[in-house]
Amino acid sequence: MKTEANKDQAIITVVGQDRPGIIAGITTLLAGHAINVLDINQTIFHETLFNMIMLVDLAACTQSFDKLQQELEQLGRQLGVDIRMQLTAVYEAMNRI
Amino acid sequence: MFDPYEILETQRMFSQEHLDVRTITMGIDLHDCASDSSAKACQRIYDKITRLAEHLVSTGEAISREYGIPIINKRISVTPIAAIAAAADDTDNYTNYALALDQAAKTVGVNYIGGFSALIQKGMTRGEKNLLKSIPEALNRTERVCASLNLGTTRSGINMDGVREAGLIIKALAARSADQQGFACAKLVVFANAPDDNPFMAGAFTGPGEGECTLNIGVSGPGVVLAALKQAGDCTVDQLAELIKETAFKVTRAGQLVGSEAARRLGVPLGILDLSLAPTPAVGDSIARILEAMGLETCGAWGTTCALAMLNDAVKKGGIMASSRVGGLSGAFIPVSEDEGMIHAVEAGALSLEKLEAMTCVCSVGIDMVAIPGDTPASTISGIIADELAVGVYNNKTTAVRLIPVPGAVVGDKVSYGGLWGDAPIMQVNPSDCSLFINRGGHIPAPIHSLKS
């Protein structure tokens, strides 16, 4: 499996009602743990539904994966959006041969 | 970067369509635990299981969090206990071995442990006879132990003495657990051609030749297949087959990822991936509803066996390329109580035991989690088992029976076992007598195609 190579990369997905400060809030949290954002794809559906997919590099991350997940979930609650983070391996396994 | 559509589709599979890894099951060999003292053997069994499986649950949970893939069950399968307990010369009752397994399961936090088993397709040793006698007490005094019997193989034929005995054991189990609607029966599976590496309960055990300790993975995903078929619209059945293959591929890749990562972290080899569509009582996670999505009014209608055959085959074809270690049962499971659509089909009068038997000719496992009237004679239960095993033995496939003769219940009643076990409507059993045939006992010779070499 090719999973080992991308062990340090994760996908963060954000879905919810659009409002100012969502990207700022998330990137500030990530920067605080030395997490580099490799790519961002952001769309607004039906004028108000915010949808963002971020590819991030956790190689230099100063926080544990579990704690980071918890912090993102908590931030999601504050911002009124659903934030999830998963290692990229699962997307790679299911969508690439 | 991944295609956003792929990412959202993958997330939807997990969050809305019930895609999960159904079980990671650690297979543990117990041969080195045998002793002439049953107490010493039980202690060794407890020690070995709790040592090897100490981190099984926490590892499963960590992988689940990091990869976002739900792993529903963490379980253990062991060497058939009849082979281990036979060394003890101080007891004929093997209940203490079951209690040791139960305690070990509780200590490491797994919900079921399989292997209170005997492989008796051709004959029975003293230890195997003792184990059979111990099953009713053992399953009623333990919470997490599962038992299984292999009563026939294509290579060896069918042990009809064992078949007769199995009917009596199932009745005894039901009587002892009458206050739980015969629930103890749900923890016993009788097989033909039982796989040595099956990760699914209640029939999991670690067969001979499986090595010291391995990890076997059971994937699932009826909901994902159902969602894909519902979106298919107006198309031919070969296009449906293609869609099922593509979906099975993705599901299996998720299982392969979890399996290889869990094996690496636990430091044990990955055994097999079992590519089974295993339903749950949750709405949308049903095999019956998949068959209905193909165009049947209700599961059990004419066309059901054909649709199931195509589904089963397409799942294997899709999964086989996604993993190099495919084994176990691999196919579609059709339990009644654990599948919301099957329950509905029985209650609607569309699905009979006879149709279920026909369906088992083309899918994995067999007449599974079926509740029948409490007054069904033991010989009739043995007759159902004999028919089902014949399907397996003569067609070179695994078949199994898990029946619950619910004490005091009659056709039209419904019993509830809760959780993944679901609700079971009592099914009609053909009342015609087969006791003379069953009571003949003996052994049915292996079929002609056993002589392959």
Side-chain angles (χ1 to χ4, degrees):
Chain A
M1 302 279 302
K2 287 184 281 179
T3 53
E4 290 292 314
N6 289 330
K7 220 173 128 189
D8 293 327
Q9 290 187 3
I11 297 275
I12 296 175
T13 54
V14 187
V15 180
Q17 280 301 111
D18 192 24
R19 54 172 278 183
I22 297 178
I23 297 182
I26 294 169
T27 48
T28 305
L29 190 155
L30 297 178
H33 294 308
I35 295 166
N36 191 26
V37 178
L38 301 174
D39 201 347
I40 296 184
N41 179 310
Q42 191 238 298
T43 344
I44 306 287
F45 290 117
H46 306 300
E47 297 186 358
T48 58
L49 187 65
F50 180 89
N51 190 313
M52 179 169 72
I53 298 169
M54 298 173 93
L55 178 66
V56 297
D57 184 358
L58 304 176
C61 179
T62 53
Q63 183 64 288
S64 76
F65 193 91
D66 281 3
K67 288 241 173 72
L68 184 58
Q69 255 180 343
Q70 287 164 15
E71 287 179 14
L72 284 168
E73 274 170 29
Q74 199 184 344
L75 178 65
R77 281 193 292 274
Q78 284 168 19
L79 295 170
V81 291
D82 180 44
I83 306 181
R84 293 175 192 215
M85 179 176 71
Q86 291 167 248
L87 291 175
T88 52
V90 61
Y91 300 103
E92 205 168 277
M94 291 176 70
N95 295 292
R96 302 281 182 273
I97 293 177
Chain B
M1 182 64 169
F2 294 93
D3 181 339
Y5 171 79
E6 289 172 348
I7 290 174
L8 296 177
E9 182 202 58
T10 305
Q11 286 215 340
R12 194 181 61 237
M13 286 180 176
F14 291 120
S15 62
Q16 291 167 34
E17 297 165 6
H18 309 286
L19 174 58
D20 53 53
V21 168
R22 184 54 49 83
T23 181
I24 56 174
T25 303
M26 182 178 271
I28 301 176
D29 182 273
L30 294 182
H31 280 96
D32 55 1
C33 299
S35 168
D36 55 0
S37 153
S38 59
K40 196 187 272 183
C42 289
Q43 188 61 48
R44 286 176 179 169
I45 288 170
Y46 175 84
D47 291 345
K48 184 167 187 182
I49 293 170
T50 51
R51 175 169 54 84
L52 290 173
E54 185 185 358
H55 302 297
L56 176 65
V57 173
S58 58
T59 302
E61 285 169 353
I63 292 172
S64 191
R65 275 196 307 275
E66 290 169 28
Y67 291 91
I69 302 175
I71 302 172
I72 307 300
N73 296 303
K74 295 92 189 169
R75 291 168 170 175
I76 295 169
S77 70
V78 297
T79 309
I81 288 295
I84 308 307
D89 54 18
D90 58 358
T91 182
D92 290 340
N93 185 337
Y94 294 166
T95 302
N96 281 344
Y97 289 82
L99 292 168
L101 294 175
D102 204 41
Q103 199 51 51
K106 283 175 184 159
T107 302
V108 299
V110 299
N111 58 357
Y112 288 101
I113 183 165
F116 198 74
S117 307
L119 311 180
I120 50 172
Q121 59 270 20
K122 212 165 183 180
M124 274 187 257
T125 63
R126 183 185 62 84
E128 285 155 353
K129 284 179 185 161
N130 288 340
L131 183 116
L132 259 65
K133 272 191 291 182
S134 310
I135 287 176
E137 184 183 349
L139 294 193
N140 274 295
R141 285 184 59 195
T142 55
E143 188 191 330
R144 307 185 185 199
V145 175
C146 293
S148 55
L149 302 174
N150 194 42
L151 296 174
T153 65
T154 302
R155 294 289 290 185
S156 308
I158 303 174
N159 181 346
M160 291 300 286
D161 291 328
V163 169
R164 180 179 55 197
E165 194 70 25
L168 295 167
I169 291 172
I170 289 168
K171 288 290 280 187
L173 274 171
R176 275 179 178 256
S177 58
D179 57 339
Q180 296 171 280
Q181 300 165 320
F183 176 68
C185 299
K187 297 186 286 180
L188 170 68
V189 186
V190 297
F191 278 107
N193 293 324
D196 293 329
D197 49 13
N198 164 25
F200 286 101
M201 293 300 167
F205 62 87
T206 297
E210 288 295 308
E212 181 70 11
C213 183
T214 52
L215 208 59
N216 297 320
I217 312 297
V219 302
S220 189
V224 184
V225 175
L226 179 63
L229 291 186
K230 277 185 173 168
Q231 284 166 13
D234 186 19
C235 64
T236 60
V237 281
D238 45 315
Q239 287 168 318
L240 289 183
E242 190 60 30
L243 205 55
I244 296 167
K245 267 170 58 184
E246 285 170 14
T247 312
F249 175 81
K250 291 185 179 185
V251 170
T252 309
R253 290 279 282 198
Q256 170 79 27
L257 175 67
V258 165
S260 46
E261 186 60 18
R264 190 184 66 78
R265 292 188 192 188
L266 289 164
V268 298
L270 177 62
I272 56 97
L273 238 76
D274 188 320
L275 316 178
S276 285
L277 291 184
T280 68
V283 172
D285 206 20
S286 152
I287 300 296
R289 298 300 187 193
I290 293 176
L291 304 177
E292 290 167 5
M294 289 190 209
L296 305 170
E297 183 187 355
T298 314
C299 177
W302 290 111
T304 297
T305 309
C306 179
L308 180 60
M310 186 271 268
L311 170 69
N312 200 59
D313 187 59
V315 166
K316 287 180 195 174
K317 285 173 177 164
I320 199 86
M321 192 180 152
S323 168
S324 49
R325 304 186 73 88
V326 176
L329 295 158
S330 287
F333 290 176
I334 52 167
V336 173
S337 78
E338 298 168 356
D339 185 313
E340 165 272 324
M342 291 282 179
I343 296 168
H344 171 259
V346 171
E347 288 179 332
L351 182 61
S352 66
L353 258 182
E354 285 76 7
K355 187 63 179 176
L356 265 180
E357 182 190 345
M359 290 164 73
T360 66
C361 300
V362 297
C363 74
S364 58
V365 199
I367 296 181
D368 191 24
M369 285 304 286
V370 171
I372 55 175
D375 62 0
T376 309
S379 57
T380 300
I381 292 172
S382 293
I384 296 171
I385 292 171
D387 280 352
E388 190 55 33
L389 300 194
V391 167
V393 166
Y394 288 85
N395 291 296
N396 215 2
K397 70 183 290 294
T398 300
T399 49
V401 175
R402 193 159 45 144
L403 286 173
I404 309 167
V406 182
V410 296
V411 175
D413 291 348
K414 188 175 184 178
V415 290
S416 179
Y417 295 114
L420 282 176
W421 301 97
D423 299 328
I426 308 293
M427 292 184 75
Q428 172 94 43
V429 175
N430 185 330
S432 194
D433 182 38
C434 62
S435 59
L436 277 178
F437 177 65
I438 293 302
N439 289 330
R440 284 178 188 276
H443 180 262
I444 293 182
I448 183 69
H449 51 269
S450 68
L451 303 173
K452 269 187 196 160
S453 48

